[in-house]
Amino acid sequence: MGPGLLGQRGNEVLVNGSRRNERGRERNRGTSARRQFSQQAPSQRSRFADPARLVAFEVLRAVSRDDAYANLVLPASIRHHRLDRRDAGFATELAYGALRGQGTYDAILARCVDRSLDRLDTAVLDVLRLGAHQLLAMRVPPHAALNQTVALTRAVVGAGPASLVNAVLRRVSERGLEDWLADLVGAASDDVEAAALRHAHPAWIVRALRQSLVAHGRAVTEIEDLLEADNAAPVVNLVALPGIGTLDEALHDGATPGELVEGSALSAGGDLGRWDAVRGGTLRIQDVGSQLVARAVAAAPIEGTRPSGERWLDLCAGPGGKAALLGALAAERGATLLANEPAEHRAELVRRALRPVPENVWSVRTGDGRTLAPELIGTFDRVIVDVPCSGLGALRRRPESRWRRTPADVAELGPLQRQLLDAAIDATAPGGVVGYVTCSPHPAETVAVVADALRRRADVKTLDAGVVLDAVALRPLEAAHDGTAQLWPHVHGTDAMFLALFRKLPTEES
């Protein structure tokens, strides 16, 4: 893990020689670097929950109690509590950091609690994780981390648990993160378990990522860099819909032009909903890896003439990010797009994403992508199938997912991925192109699916995805291996997106 990427919170620094913020909270009259804590008993401390810490707590509770996604809960909570940009940044780092480091923090907390963690109330455990992250990986003064976490506990859980939280976090604070890690790693059974503890990943994911590096032609020694990249706070990636939106508003507000793909920008984050372009949908938040694979499918060469314009299909379109980009590209090129999504609520998200695109360009179908209507079979010139997957390529953006997924998920998704790829090939006209996409580098979800399709089907051949990907990028990506392309967080600064391109071959009937 390592220190948080944000600097010390502005209202927790020395002000006129005293550790008092502008609101008079979190003071420590000493100026020594030695760790100092309030001598007040928990019952005498504030019951006030700092709004930024309260937001982080609400995110952790929604994740652990409701199986929610942090990236969906966090913005709504920030708006509800009306956090300014600085406090929103603090809440984001605290929530995401505690979620990313959960496995390692739990191992540390287990050394400091007099009972097994599964006997703790889950709300108390969430508070302890927040406190541990502040003490061990953020530049928050220890007295502030402890006092404010105890105050949060009193406000949202109760006075009794506040005493437990106070005692446990004092034990946590007796050692720094590196000392704790040295102790934990020293007791690890092998290098994989040691890396799992040091970098806060489940051991099975460490093994899977090691296998993934090798499967895609990279050195297994890159695993440390990959795990570290998973734990780095990701920069917000933006895309202006081609021919529809611009980056002007974002660049004026401090965003920087993207270095990998045209029409992209990088932002430090905050409440991007304040921008008119974001509210209007012409400027979208989308990982640059996702942008690249969508552009590659739109750019791959097809065979044959299309006098009436190309027909494109996004077979697994929800929640609509790639569909919006493809729709804008289709509008520029006189093509049309059908976006398919099986769940109605996600289909509505796709419609919202496509609203900035001219209405005559796109339509949305709600239904199982594996069972397209007969009149749609063999009629599309370009098909993208971004299949449901384990999401191991997006762990930095979805920090909670690493603790939810199991090896069984990968095995269970395999048949669905193959069925959807088959359906995508069936939907493609001779000479057309299919883009098989996953947000996972796992070989069982990537190269194994591709190899299986080539063994089973004589009506397709692969195109060099690396060449096409480089053609739409602003610089060479060096992502190709055996005709497929794999992006990496530690190499490209993107999610670990995988792309394989297939050409549909003519048959005797055609």
Side-chain angles (χ1 to χ4, degrees), residues 49-203:
D50 171 64
R53 290 176 171 87
L54 180 58
V55 166
F57 174 77
E58 289 178 354
V59 171
L60 263 66
R61 290 305 297 135
V63 168
S64 61
R65 181 188 60 221
D66 305 325
D67 208 30
Y69 291 99
N71 66 319
L72 300 181
V73 176
L74 179 64
S77 186
I78 286 173
R79 287 193 294 269
H80 176 74
H81 291 281
R82 299 181 180 180
L83 300 189
D84 59 24
R85 177 180 287 191
R86 183 180 60 186
D87 283 358
F90 181 87
T92 300
E93 165 56 17
L94 179 53
Y96 275 31
L99 288 170
R100 277 193 299 266
Q102 177 178 308
T104 300
Y105 292 144
D106 283 1
I108 293 171
L109 290 168
R111 303 285 187 94
C112 302
V113 180
D114 61 358
R115 67 198 78 172
S116 63
L117 296 187
D118 59 10
R119 293 180 58 197
L120 290 176
D121 182 86
T122 55
V124 172
L125 184 54
D126 284 336
V127 170
L128 288 171
R129 290 164 176 162
L130 292 172
H133 184 63
Q134 292 173 73
L135 287 167
L136 299 175
M138 294 181 73
R139 288 176 292 211
V140 176
H143 74 279
L146 189 137
N147 290 350
Q148 286 292 341
T149 305
V150 171
L152 173 67
T153 309
R154 291 184 62 82
V156 298
V157 185
S163 297
L164 170 66
V165 168
N166 177 60
V168 172
L169 292 182
R170 282 180 179 274
R171 292 194 64 186
V172 171
S173 70
E174 291 172 358
R175 306 169 70 176
L177 178 59
E178 287 304 316
D179 285 345
W180 279 115
L181 288 175
D183 190 11
L184 295 173
V185 169
S189 59
D190 54 34
D191 290 344
V192 169
E193 184 181 349
L197 288 165
R198 179 167 288 281
H199 297 288
H201 284 66

Side-chain angles (χ1 to χ4, degrees), residues 327-341:
L329 292 169
E332 287 189 321
R333 293 167 51 177
T336 59
L337 172 72
L338 173 63
N340 181 81
E341 169 55 43

Side-chain angles (χ1 to χ4, degrees), residues 210-509:
R210 285 166 59 97
Q211 295 167 3
S212 301
L213 287 165
V214 175
H216 296 289
R218 304 199 71 91
V220 72
T221 52
E222 294 181 25
I223 187 62
E224 294 285 330
D225 291 338
L226 175 54
L227 296 175
E228 288 179 6
D230 273 351
N231 287 336
V235 175
V236 176
N237 292 183
L238 303 168
V239 58
L241 294 185
I244 298 173
T246 73
L247 297 172
D248 294 348
E249 199 172 4
L251 298 176
H252 180 74
D253 202 27
T256 58
E259 298 180 353
L260 287 184
V261 64
E262 178 185 356
S264 68
L266 307 176
S267 170
D271 183 13
L272 303 189
R274 66 187 183 277
W275 296 339
D276 292 338
V278 170
R279 290 197 300 271
T282 62
L283 179 65
R284 302 186 57 81
I285 299 171
Q286 184 178 25
D287 181 74
V288 71
S290 180
Q291 297 176 44
L292 283 166
V293 297
R295 285 181 174 272
V297 173
I302 63 174
E303 294 180 343
T305 59
R306 307 296 192 269
S308 60
E310 294 181 11
R311 299 187 68 199
W312 299 3
L313 171 64
D314 185 346
L315 194 60
C316 304
K322 293 184 185 67
L325 178 53
L326 287 168
L329 292 169
E332 287 189 321
R333 293 167 51 177
T336 59
L337 172 72
L338 173 63
N340 181 81
E341 169 55 43
E344 176 54 41
H345 70 283
R346 286 171 61 87
E348 180 57 30
L349 294 177
V350 177
R351 294 186 189 97
R352 293 178 191 173
L354 282 163
R355 279 173 188 164
V357 180
E359 291 183 358
N360 64 322
V361 171
W362 58 271
S363 58
V364 176
R365 173 186 184 269
T366 304
D368 191 331
R370 295 170 293 182
T371 55
L372 291 177
E375 61 269 22
L376 296 177
I377 300 301
T379 64
F380 294 96
D381 304 293
R382 301 181 190 276
V383 179
I384 186 170
V385 53
D386 185 358
V387 297
C389 68
S390 64
L392 297 186
L395 297 182
R396 63 196 186 123
R397 297 189 186 280
R398 298 171 186 166
E400 72 281 355
S401 64
R402 69 185 69 182
W403 310 113
R404 286 178 173 169
R405 289 299 190 186
T406 69
D409 295 325
V410 176
E412 291 169 1
L413 286 165
L416 175 61
Q417 292 162 349
R418 286 164 171 79
Q419 291 164 11
L420 286 168
L421 177 54
D422 277 341
I425 295 171
D426 291 340
T428 306
V433 170
V434 177
Y436 175 79
V437 175
T438 72
C439 191
S440 167
H442 198 299
E445 302 183 273
T446 56
V447 291
V449 175
V450 172
D452 191 40
L454 293 174
R455 280 194 300 268
R456 290 184 295 102
R457 304 198 58 139
D459 57 346
V460 290
K461 68 176 182 179
T462 54
L463 303 177
D464 193 326
V467 170
V468 179
L469 204 59
D470 280 347
V472 299
L474 297 179
R475 62 173 173 82
L477 297 171
E478 299 181 358
H481 180 66
D482 291 343
T484 64
Q486 179 67 58
L487 299 171
W488 297 98
H490 67 296
V491 178
H492 306 100
T494 69
D495 289 346
M497 302 295 297
F498 171 82
L499 172 66
L501 293 172
F502 297 86
R503 164 74 44 74
K504 182 71 171 290
L505 300 176
T507 62
E508 291 182 3
E509 291 79 6

